[in-house]
Amino acid sequence: LASDGRNLDNEMVASLYNMIAKRLGWETISGKTVANWREKNPKVQHAGRHGATSYRNTMAMQTRRTAPLFPMTYWTVDGWDAELLFQAKTTGRDGRSVTTYHNRPTVVMVLDPCTKYPVGYAIGSHETPELIRAAFRNAFKHVKELFGAYYKPLQLQTDNYGRGTLTPFYEACSGVYTPAAVKNAKAKIIEPFFKQLNAKYCHLLPNWSGYGVTSRKDSQPNVEWLNQNRHKFPDEKGCAEQIEGIIRIIRSERIDKYLEKWNAMPEEDRLPMSAEEYLLLFGETTGRGNALEGGGLRPTILGEPVWYDSFDSDFRNYGHLNWIVKYDPEDLSVALAVE
């Protein structure tokens, strides 16, 4: 009765217990007896009264973690509705243009807990599998800028958004993929990073929307002031530039230490990603297949024909197949042909 999900008070529990006790010839109890039993047996009743999630987070044994010593050991990924407002024009049902000022962008962030370095990001209107893939693409490009080659994280952890469709992608992007348990907030160490980012950087901007809805009112921005200054809010592009500027600042503050730790990382612990793997995961296509000609494959990229060929003589044995060319628009010197 003490574990009942309706959270019965002590007198209710005693009353219901005594109804049975009298029939069975047991001694009756008082509400004080129930209170004493509750105090001595909190573990037994907690899950029933507060739910299994609360039990796991407060009563069950916890796995303690520390930040990794080296970069690319562990990545964590999450989406964040940035606490920055922007104005946007929409067309109403009557065909008139309407300007709204309550819009907020969504940022998918790839964070390396070693120095809490933002490896990659993508900004959009809401979290989608495409936005997540864009954030990873940004991350691996930045990794190559930092280390001169593509590398994978040894371990990757995400929440369960899009888990069914994105799991093969996550597994291809990492050595080991370990999704966080459902409703396990403590696994998402990226959320304190978002909180710090909001308090230290977003708070200073004129279009800051405040803290979460559960925060105290006296710590939130003046609603009247926001309303008076709403016409000064940036548009969606300007808001994205604000976020990109914040990320550049954070990276500049932490990049020296991040590179120092990378140089101290044993070579055998690094997990390279080949150019083929990168193009297979992130390469763009023209949307059309290509037949193998004497000069190789000739896709039309950005309006111009580009020739690609392979020195593997066995490639010529597959002239009867239709090939998809995957390429990086920022580096057309190499491409991947996929049948």
Side-chain angles (χ1 to χ4, degrees), residues 265-326:
M265 184 179 187
E267 188 72 33
E268 60 271 18
D269 291 342
R270 302 174 183 179
L271 185 60
M273 171 187 268
S274 66
E276 290 87 349
E277 289 179 287
Y278 175 81
L279 289 171
L280 186 63
L281 286 170
F282 303 105
E284 296 185 11
T285 69
T286 62
R288 299 177 60 184
N290 296 95
L292 181 58
E293 304 177 36
L297 299 175
R298 188 184 61 167
T300 300
I301 301 174
L302 303 177
E304 296 289 336
V306 183
W307 285 96
Y308 290 107
D309 206 347
S310 171
F311 285 103
D312 184 352
S313 59
D314 196 42
F315 185 46
R316 299 297 175 186
N317 290 327
Y318 301 98
H320 60 288
L321 298 178
N322 194 33
W323 296 93
I324 297 295
V325 176
K326 307 197 77 171

Side-chain angles (χ1 to χ4, degrees), residues 135-147:
F136 273 90
R137 180 175 180 172
N138 179 268
F140 284 111
K141 278 187 171 293
H142 189 57
V143 165
K144 187 176 182 181
E145 291 174 0
L146 293 175
F147 309 136

Side-chain angles (χ1 to χ4, degrees), residues 9-18 21 27-38:
D9 63 34
N10 295 338
E11 295 299 331
M12 288 179 179
V13 172
S15 175
L16 292 171
Y17 176 89
N18 289 336
E27 290 186 21
T28 58
I29 62 174
S30 66
K32 185 172 178 58
T33 302
V34 178
N36 291 336
W37 187 91
R38 284 191 196 274

Side-chain angles (χ1 to χ4, degrees), residues 2-307:
S3 302
D4 193 282
R6 292 169 293 179
N7 269 313
L8 305 174
D9 63 34
N10 295 338
E11 295 299 331
M12 288 179 179
V13 172
S15 175
L16 292 171
Y17 176 89
N18 289 336
M19 289 172 60
I20 306 301
K22 289 176 182 178
R23 291 187 181 185
L24 298 178
W26 299 348
E27 290 186 21
T28 58
I29 62 174
S30 66
K32 185 172 178 58
T33 302
V34 178
N36 291 336
W37 187 91
R38 284 191 196 274
E39 186 177 351
K40 294 178 182 179
N41 299 275
K43 181 180 177 182
V44 177
Q45 56 184 317
H46 189 99
R49 295 182 65 195
H50 306 292
T53 300
S54 176
Y55 176 81
R56 286 195 300 268
N57 288 334
T58 59
M59 301 291 292
M61 180 179 289
Q62 305 290 310
T63 300
R64 302 291 298 174
R65 296 187 294 181
T66 56
L69 296 177
F70 302 111
M72 305 299 294
T73 302
Y74 169 70
W75 280 3
T76 179
V77 185
D78 200 8
W80 169 53
D81 291 328
E83 281 84 357
L84 293 173
L85 300 170
F86 66 87
Q87 56 177 303
K89 288 187 177 182
T90 58
T91 303
R93 292 182 179 178
D94 57 359
R96 294 184 178 181
S97 178
V98 179
T99 303
T100 56
Y101 301 91
H102 59 274
N103 312 285
R104 293 165 56 191
T106 295
V107 182
V108 173
M109 186 79 73
V110 181
L111 185 73
D112 191 329
C114 178
T115 74
K116 292 185 173 61
Y117 188 83
V119 186
Y121 67 94
I123 305 170
S125 58
H126 57 284
E127 189 172 4
T128 63
E130 291 73 24
L131 194 66
I132 292 171
R133 291 175 187 271
F136 273 90
R137 180 175 180 172
N138 179 268
F140 284 111
K141 278 187 171 293
H142 189 57
V143 165
K144 187 176 182 181
E145 291 174 0
L146 293 175
F147 309 136
Y150 296 116
Y151 290 93
K152 299 180 186 179
L154 299 179
Q155 182 183 9
L156 172 66
Q157 189 163 49
T158 70
D159 59 16
N160 286 269
Y161 174 82
R163 182 174 172 182
T165 57
L166 288 172
T167 294
F169 172 76
Y170 290 145
E171 291 174 343
C173 287
S174 59
V176 177
Y177 171 55
T178 52
V182 178
K183 295 184 179 180
N184 181 12
K186 293 184 179 180
K188 299 169 71 173
I189 61 171
I190 193 172
E191 290 192 350
F193 173 80
F194 288 146
K195 185 177 180 181
Q196 180 193 28
L197 191 151
N198 181 37
K200 185 176 180 180
Y201 300 99
C202 297
H203 197 159
L204 297 172
L205 297 172
N207 53 324
W208 179 62
S209 65
Y211 296 108
V213 293
T214 58
S215 300
R216 295 177 304 167
K217 278 190 175 182
D218 57 4
S219 64
Q220 301 285 40
N222 183 338
V223 177
E224 293 180 3
W225 184 88
L226 282 176
N227 189 50
Q228 292 169 0
N229 290 273
R230 68 187 187 279
H231 298 292
K232 300 178 183 178
F233 291 174
D235 59 10
E236 185 174 7
K237 181 180 178 182
C239 191
E241 290 174 350
Q242 288 179 319
I243 296 170
E244 290 171 349
I246 291 172
I247 294 173
R248 282 197 298 270
I249 292 172
I250 296 174
R251 282 178 171 177
S252 66
E253 293 172 345
R254 305 177 185 185
I255 189 170
D256 289 341
K257 189 174 182 181
Y258 193 66
L259 291 173
E260 178 185 337
K261 287 181 175 290
W262 171 259
N263 292 329
M265 184 179 187
E267 188 72 33
E268 60 271 18
D269 291 342
R270 302 174 183 179
L271 185 60
M273 171 187 268
S274 66
E276 290 87 349
E277 289 179 287
Y278 175 81
L279 289 171
L280 186 63
L281 286 170
F282 303 105
E284 296 185 11
T285 69
T286 62
R288 299 177 60 184
N290 296 95
L292 181 58
E293 304 177 36
L297 299 175
R298 188 184 61 167
T300 300
I301 301 174
L302 303 177
E304 296 289 336
V306 183
W307 285 96

Side-chain angles (χ1 to χ4, degrees), residues 144 275-276 279 308 325-329 331-336:
K144 187 176 182 181
E276 290 87 349
L279 289 171
Y308 290 107
V325 176
K326 307 197 77 171
Y327 61 92
D328 182 350
D331 180 13
L332 297 179
S333 63
V334 64
L336 178 70

